[in-house]
Amino acid sequence: MELYTLFARQHVVSMRRLVTSLLTVIVSLSCLFALPATYAFEPTAMQLEWFKGLSESEQRRLAEQYGIRLPAQGQSNAATMAEPTVSVIPRQSRTQYVETAGVPESKFADTTDQKGVDAKKLPHFGYDLFAGEPTTFAPIHDVPVSADYQLGPGDSLKVNLYGKESKSFELSVDTEGKVYIPELGPLSLAGLSFAEAKQKLINTIDQKMIGVKANVSMGQLRAIRVFVLGEANTPGSYVVSSLSTMTNALLLSGGVAQTGSLRDIQLKRKGKLIARLDLYDLLLRGDTTNDHQLRSGDVVFIPALASTASVDGAVNRPAIYELKGGESATDLVNMAGGLKSSAFAGQVQVQRIAEGDSKTAINLNLQQQGAHFAVRNGDALFVPRVLERKKGVVTLSGHVLRDGEYAWQSGLRVSDLIASVSYLQDNPDLNYALIKRYPDPQRQLTVLSFAPGKALAAPGTMHDPVLHERDEIVLFSKYESDRIKIMEELLGYLRAQASISQPAQEVVVSGNVRYPGSYPLVPGMTVEDLIYAAGGLTEKAFQLRAELSRTEIDEQQMRQQSRFNLNLSQNDALQKQLKSRDTLQIKTIPDWAESQQVTLRGEVRFPGTYPIHKNDTLADVIERAGGLTDYAYIPGAVFTREELKEQQAERLQEMRDRLKDDIAKAELSVANQSNSKPKDIS
């Protein structure tokens, strides 16, 4: 028994070694000939039986080791090995980028991909269509065929008989174009289509087998050998299905190499050119008219890439495109998916390689000249975008409920955009708002001001400004300091525009206003306008005497200074016109002080907090508090003040620091004395 067990175990090991050797030979042959699995492996029945006799885990281990794909559970291993299907796994992106000659780097900002591809690079269009690597190169058999499919040697037909007899068998077409029907003999099907052969079989069986009907379907298709040569990623010889077309062969070969043409793929048969395939028809229009079916021995030849042109900018698919000859600029843009909605077709820039070793630039109106402008090899088209500058609009911003852009028309006024105070946010400043304007032809910033309250109270009058195209109306809050940032930005522009003949248009207000600082000098600006711009006077402002300082440069380039005392309670002073660099100082009311108070605690009749005047004494406050009670101990009274507390804290910290220094010096002195004593050497 043990001897039998040992013999059986050795037999299994031998079978496994045999199967392993067979798979190794198959893989080695594929690698030896350096072809993409030119031959489809067809195992014998004995080999299949050996393989099926192994455990499932052993089968999968061997399959994974040698690159054979097994079916899922429930499917037949034998069927899979006999009729493997062609599948393709994606290759790492084969999209390569080449430098677009002559196009300025700044114009390729939108072509940078997520991996940081250089902005001067564009992808070649179409080469990733067939960019894959097939997992197996065996032909596909289980696909439907058309009625006009031409039968040939290697094809098979499945015949099912029913009626008086029920049988099923498969008929193979031999090299003479015949099939052999059991009990009926040979039948010639040479040169017939599938529909004709099917009908001939049905008629023959109906005539010779009384009471029997036949159903005929296509069985296994024959395999044919074709060649994919030229600029293919993996050129070589391939075994494919008899239904395969040119694109199927390209798929098996890994697609067209970067150096190959996509627009002139040639089908050759026995040395003659049969058809040309332009893959752009498939890529851009989905047209497969010229995708011809292959025959055994056909050659799919991919010639080298001849000429290209690039298009970038505001198009839907910026890339480098292959030219066949005769394409116009409009054709090239159409290849790129057309223009984006933001494209400006009136000034397309074309960079072209001129004669010699130089380049030239051409400006092209695509709408007028695009259809007649012939594109050459190496041309680089750039379609710019429309300008961000907008026309026919005005902008409302700041302390409003609905800011944004509004349509402009001649005669539009502020009240047309802001019909009432309800259009504004809470606590709006109704005395001061700005209009930012860029008048032609200089297009330099000009600042105007108006009072929103007056514009709403008197619409259509001089207080309700007429707006120009592209004006921006800025409104402010009365109690928020957002105006300070806006003023800093405006003044930066105005200072940049300043010159000898046109000094910076700004004025300064200081002192007791809500928002002191610098403000734009608008035409006709008065002292009152400047006070409103700064948010108005505070409660401490001394109106009877403000000071206006002015500095001017006369015709002799001499500096002239002057000062004016203004009584702000008078209208003449408020309406005084301001000039560039004027400074308005608002003084404080004399002897103004915030309310001061002291707190009494302890043995007084009415303890609490009492406001005090400038000359009040402690005795005055105690008297106001009803005097001391009978239990008051006057020598023990404590007087505290915030300033005294701070001084005491500072002095206490100084004492601590001195104490630390004294302790450190004492310790150092003791250490020095101990080190200076003579050592006892006895």
Side-chain angles (χ1 to χ4, degrees):
M1 185 67 179
E2 293 178 355
L3 182 61
Y4 175 80
T5 303
L6 178 62
F7 175 80
R9 185 177 301 170
Q10 291 178 347
H11 179 70
V12 171
V13 171
S14 299
M15 290 292 101
R16 289 178 177 175
R17 288 178 178 174
L18 180 58
V19 172
T20 302
S21 300
L22 288 172
L23 293 173
T24 304
V25 170
I26 296 168
V27 174
S28 300
L29 286 174
S30 299
C31 298
L32 179 62
F33 287 99
L35 294 177
T38 302
Y39 301 94
F41 171 53
E42 298 287 345
T44 64
M46 183 176 293
Q47 292 171 348
L48 290 176
E49 290 298 325
W50 286 341
F51 189 79
K52 290 161 61 178
L54 301 176
S55 65
E56 183 178 352
S57 61
E58 188 71 8
Q59 291 178 3
R60 295 195 176 278
R61 185 186 68 79
L62 291 173
E64 292 176 359
Q65 181 177 354
Y66 296 103
I68 295 178
R69 181 174 59 83
L70 293 180
Q73 293 184 358
Q75 296 181 357
S76 171
N77 288 346
T80 301
M81 295 185 67
E83 297 185 7
T85 59
V86 177
S87 60
V88 177
I89 57 175
R91 182 188 300 120
Q92 289 185 351
S93 178
R94 291 182 177 268
T95 305
Q96 300 178 7
Y97 293 81
V98 299
E99 183 172 353
T100 304
V103 181
E105 181 175 356
S106 61
K107 295 180 180 178
F108 285 89
D110 292 339
T111 62
T112 303
D113 67 6
Q114 295 178 353
K115 298 181 180 179
V117 177
D118 187 81
K120 293 172 64 178
K121 307 296 178 73
L122 282 174
H124 273 286
F125 172 73
Y127 285 92
D128 55 351
L129 173 63
F130 302 105
E133 294 177 352
T135 58
T136 177
F137 294 88
I140 300 174
H141 302 295
D142 53 349
V143 294
V145 298
S146 60
D148 58 351
Y149 173 73
Q150 197 80 18
L151 292 178
D155 288 334
S156 65
L157 300 172
K158 293 181 180 180
V159 180
N160 295 316
L161 302 181
Y162 59 94
K164 183 179 178 181
E165 297 181 16
S166 296
K167 293 182 180 180
S168 296
F169 47 84
E170 188 167 350
L171 308 177
S172 297
V173 181
D174 61 14
T175 56
E176 296 180 355
K178 297 180 180 180
V179 295
Y180 292 84
I181 308 174
E183 301 179 5
L184 297 182
L187 180 66
S188 177
L189 301 178
L192 299 182
S193 66
F194 169 63
E196 294 170 341
K198 177 180 178 179
Q199 190 61 46
K200 187 173 183 179
L201 274 171
I202 292 175
N203 293 339
T204 300
I205 293 173
D206 187 51
Q207 293 174 1
K208 295 186 177 182
M209 301 181 70
I210 306 301
V212 176
K213 299 294 182 180
N215 179 57
V216 180
S217 61
M218 197 70 201
Q220 182 172 330
L221 300 176
R222 68 182 184 274
I224 61 174
R225 184 184 305 280
V226 297
F227 297 88
V228 181
L229 303 176
E231 302 300 321
N233 274 307
T234 312
S237 172
Y238 294 88
V239 175
V240 298
S241 165
S242 56
L243 291 178
S244 298
T245 63
M246 298 172 69
T247 54
N248 297 133
L250 292 175
L251 176 65
L252 289 178
S253 66
V256 181
Q258 193 75 59
T259 55
S261 170
L262 294 176
R263 308 201 63 184
D264 189 27
I265 299 174
Q266 304 171 10
L267 174 60
K268 297 185 177 182
R269 184 173 298 155
K270 296 181 181 180
K272 295 182 179 180
L273 182 62
I274 302 301
R276 295 179 184 270
L277 174 62
D278 185 350
L279 286 179
Y280 277 25
D281 292 337
L282 175 63
L283 292 169
L284 300 177
R285 292 178 289 277
D287 184 3
T288 60
T289 303
N290 294 321
D291 188 15
H292 286 257
Q293 188 171 329
L294 300 176
R295 296 184 185 178
S296 183
D298 281 355
V299 174
V300 177
F301 180 73
I302 305 173
L305 181 64
S307 60
T308 60
S310 68
V311 57
D312 191 26
V315 292
N316 290 310
R317 192 171 46 243
I320 299 172
Y321 293 88
E322 182 180 351
L323 303 177
K324 291 183 70 173
E327 289 91 347
S328 66
T330 300
D331 296 332
L332 183 60
V333 171
N334 289 337
M335 291 181 193
L339 299 174
K340 289 184 176 180
S341 58
S342 59
F344 177 60
Q347 195 173 8
V348 174
Q349 302 167 24
V350 182
Q351 296 205 1
R352 171 170 293 177
I353 301 175
E355 296 181 0
D357 58 351
S358 61
K359 297 179 181 179
T360 185
I362 303 172
N363 291 331
L364 174 67
N365 187 321
L366 191 64
Q367 295 175 338
Q368 298 178 1
Q369 304 167 287
H372 309 289
F373 183 86
V375 179
R376 298 181 185 176
N377 183 27
D379 281 359
L381 274 70
F382 179 80
V383 182
R385 287 170 172 76
V386 294
L387 300 177
E388 293 298 328
R389 186 174 62 204
K390 298 179 180 179
K391 295 183 178 181
V393 296
V394 292
T395 305
L396 191 61
S397 64
H399 202 67
V400 293
L401 292 174
R402 294 184 178 89
D403 58 355
E405 295 175 346
Y406 292 84
W408 173 85
Q409 58 185 358
S410 180
L412 185 73
R413 292 179 181 268
V414 169
S415 61
D416 295 325
L417 300 179
I418 309 170
S420 67
V421 180
S422 62
Y423 283 62
L424 306 178
Q425 298 183 28
D426 295 339
N427 298 316
D429 189 342
L430 298 179
N431 293 317
Y432 184 74
L434 290 178
I435 298 176
K436 297 164 61 176
R437 179 170 295 170
Y438 295 88
D440 294 328
Q442 294 86 3
R443 307 201 66 80
Q444 289 189 334
L445 174 63
T446 299
V447 181
L448 307 175
S449 67
F450 68 98
K454 294 181 180 179
L456 296 177
T461 65
M462 59 176 295
H463 299 293
D464 186 15
V466 176
L467 300 176
H468 292 189
E469 184 181 14
R470 299 182 63 242
D471 276 358
E472 179 180 354
I473 302 95
V474 185
L475 292 103
F476 301 100
S477 168
K478 183 181 293 185
Y479 305 119
E480 295 179 4
S481 59
D482 56 344
R483 71 180 68 199
I484 301 300
K485 294 181 181 181
I486 296 175
M487 297 305 169
E488 289 177 354
E489 180 183 0
L490 288 176
L491 291 172
Y493 285 113
L494 294 175
R495 290 164 185 165
Q497 296 174 181
S499 62
I500 296 178
S501 60
Q502 183 69 33
Q505 300 298 296
E506 63 177 296
V507 289
V508 180
V509 59
S510 63
N512 294 291
V513 290
R514 196 179 302 278
Y515 305 111
S518 298
Y519 289 86
L521 176 63
V522 303
M525 190 173 191
T526 64
V527 170
E528 184 180 33
D529 295 333
L530 179 56
I531 293 174
Y532 283 146
L537 300 175
T538 65
E539 60 178 343
K540 298 186 295 183
F542 183 58
Q543 292 181 281
L544 299 181
R545 187 173 179 180
E547 185 176 274
L548 179 64
S549 299
R550 177 169 296 172
T551 300
E552 297 179 284
I553 306 298
D554 60 17
E555 296 178 356
Q556 285 74 33
Q557 297 290 295
M558 299 297 293
R559 182 181 182 186
Q560 302 293 334
Q561 291 184 307
S562 56
R563 290 187 180 91
F564 307 92
N565 291 323
L566 304 176
N567 186 344
L568 300 182
S569 62
Q570 297 179 358
N571 189 60
D572 292 343
L574 292 174
Q575 299 305 316
K576 185 174 181 59
Q577 295 281 326
L578 297 177
K579 294 185 178 181
S580 176
R581 301 293 186 182
D582 278 0
T583 299
L584 177 65
Q585 182 185 20
I586 307 298
K587 301 178 181 180
T588 306
I589 296 175
D591 297 328
W592 171 270
E594 301 292 343
S595 177
Q596 296 180 346
Q597 55 191 18
V598 295
T599 302
L600 291 178
R601 296 193 183 99
E603 296 301 324
V604 292
R605 292 186 181 276
F606 306 107
T609 301
Y610 291 85
I612 60 173
H613 294 166
K614 186 174 183 179
N615 298 320
D616 283 347
T617 65
L618 180 58
D620 296 333
V621 178
I622 293 176
E623 182 180 356
R624 292 164 59 192
L628 302 175
T629 67
D630 295 338
Y631 300 98
Y633 178 60
I634 298 176
V638 177
F639 179 81
T640 62
R641 181 177 291 170
E642 290 297 328
E643 295 178 358
L644 295 177
K645 288 174 62 177
E646 295 174 359
Q647 293 176 3
Q648 291 174 357
E650 292 177 358
R651 291 173 183 174
L652 181 60
Q653 185 62 38
E654 291 175 358
M655 292 177 61
R656 290 174 179 171
D657 294 339
R658 284 199 300 268
L659 182 59
K660 289 182 181 179
D661 292 341
D662 293 342
I663 293 174
K665 291 177 182 179
E667 291 178 349
L668 181 61
S669 176
V670 172
N672 291 336
Q673 291 178 3
S674 62
N675 292 334
S676 63
K677 290 182 179 181
K679 296 182 179 179
D680 187 2
I681 60 175
S682 63

